[in-house]
């Protein structure tokens, strides 16, 4: 498994909250276990205390995406480094589920789950995955959705670094809103132009000279 895959853990956690809408789905241990996935051992160690801890890590991860979205590369890296220092990873060589043509394991790097608590385990995986993604693909590959009021985090995997929205749904909504705004502007311009033409016609008509 490529280590960059773990960056999805950061995205999933950040997107449990929609600040502009006042929505927060990170409200229970069950939600935390869903973030890990059903097979993760650390998920079974989650307790009610992890809800608050997860929210704290979520805020710090969102700050990384926000800094990257604003083009502040140094700040994004500094914020991510602070998470890496606080939540170190435990790498392991793994060969499960992957076999070559001769039936031998395809060895790859895997991040072991942190033994202390669910938050530490999740934060370590999310921060390391995001760090690998950032260094491999660039800080500008981290973004926040431009379709207000969404602001969900996303990882840009497009070939031309053109992604601006977290989903096709948000992209469509933003395009429709932009289209309607253009139509309103065009309509206002036409009305303004028509009004100016009418005034000009009145000023130049014979009756206007009497």
């Amino acid at each position: 498994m490529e280590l960059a895959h773990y960056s999805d853990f950061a995205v999933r956690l950040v997107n449990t909250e929609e600040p502009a809408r006042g929505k927060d789905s990170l409200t229970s241990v069950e939600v935390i276990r869903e973030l890990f996935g059903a097979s993760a051992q650390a998920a079974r160690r989650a307790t009610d205390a992890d809800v608050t801890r997860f929210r704290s890590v979520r805020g710090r991860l969102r700050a990384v995406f926000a800094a990257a979205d604003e083009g502040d590369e140094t700040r994004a890296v500094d914020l991510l480094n602070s998470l890496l220092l606080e939540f170190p990873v435990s790498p392991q060589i793994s060969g499960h589920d992957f076999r070559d043509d001769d039936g031998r394991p395809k060895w790859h790097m895997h991040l072991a789950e942190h033994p202390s608590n669910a938050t530490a385990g999740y934060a370590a995986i999310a921060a390391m995955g995001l760090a690998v993604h950032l260094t491999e693909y660039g800080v500008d590959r981290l973004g926040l959705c431009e379709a207000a009021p969404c602001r969900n985090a996303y990882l840009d995997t497009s070939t031309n670094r053109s992604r601006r929205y977290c989903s096709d749904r948000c992209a469509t909504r933003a395009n429709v809103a932009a289209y309607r705004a253009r139509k309103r502007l065009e309509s206002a311009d036409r009305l303004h132009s028509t009004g100016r033409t009418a005034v000009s016609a009145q000023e130049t008509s014979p009756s206007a000279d009497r």
Side-chain angles (χ1 to χ4, degrees), residues 10-32:
V11 173
R12 290 204 299 269
L13 177 55
V14 171
N15 291 346
T16 58
E17 181 183 30
E18 296 180 73
R21 291 190 174 107
K23 294 182 178 180
D24 187 348
S25 63
L26 184 53
T27 57
S28 66
V29 173
E30 286 69 27
V31 174
I32 290 175

Side-chain angles (χ1 to χ4, degrees), residues 18-91:
E18 296 180 73
R21 291 190 174 107
K23 294 182 178 180
D24 187 348
S25 63
L26 184 53
T27 57
S28 66
V29 173
E30 286 69 27
V31 174
I32 290 175
R33 290 172 179 161
E34 289 175 3
L35 287 170
F36 272 106
S39 61
Q41 294 181 0
R44 293 191 285 273
R45 293 196 298 271
T47 67
D48 289 336
D50 283 301
V51 174
T52 300
R53 292 195 289 256
F54 260 68
R55 287 176 174 173
S56 176
V57 172
R58 179 181 64 188
R60 294 170 67 182
L61 286 171
R62 175 172 283 278
V64 175
F65 279 93
D69 190 64
E70 294 165 3
D72 193 341
E73 295 190 16
T74 301
R75 182 165 174 266
V77 169
D78 287 345
L79 290 169
L80 191 49
N81 272 337
S82 69
L83 283 164
L84 291 170
L85 287 171
E86 185 173 347
F87 302 104
V89 297
S90 301

Side-chain angles (χ1 to χ4, degrees), residues 61-136:
L61 286 171
R62 175 172 283 278
V64 175
F65 279 93
D69 190 64
E70 294 165 3
D72 193 341
E73 295 190 16
T74 301
R75 182 165 174 266
V77 169
D78 287 345
L79 290 169
L80 191 49
N81 272 337
S82 69
L83 283 164
L84 291 170
L85 287 171
E86 185 173 347
F87 302 104
V89 297
S90 301
Q92 285 183 331
I93 299 174
S94 176
H96 64 83
D97 299 332
F98 297 96
R99 299 282 174 174
D100 61 18
D101 294 337
D102 296 324
R104 295 175 302 184
K106 289 186 177 180
W107 302 113
H108 59 278
M109 290 301 297
H110 179 81
L111 298 184
E113 295 177 353
H114 202 285
S116 59
N117 60 67
T119 302
Y122 196 98
I125 291 171
M128 185 61 188
L130 201 56
V132 172
H133 194 96
L134 184 151
T135 53
E136 185 170 345

Side-chain angles (χ1 to χ4, degrees), residues 14-18 62 143-145 149-154 166:
V14 171
N15 291 346
T16 58
E17 181 183 30
E18 296 180 73
R62 175 172 283 278
L144 294 174
C145 186
C150 177
R151 304 301 284 167
N152 270 352
Y154 66 82
C166 69

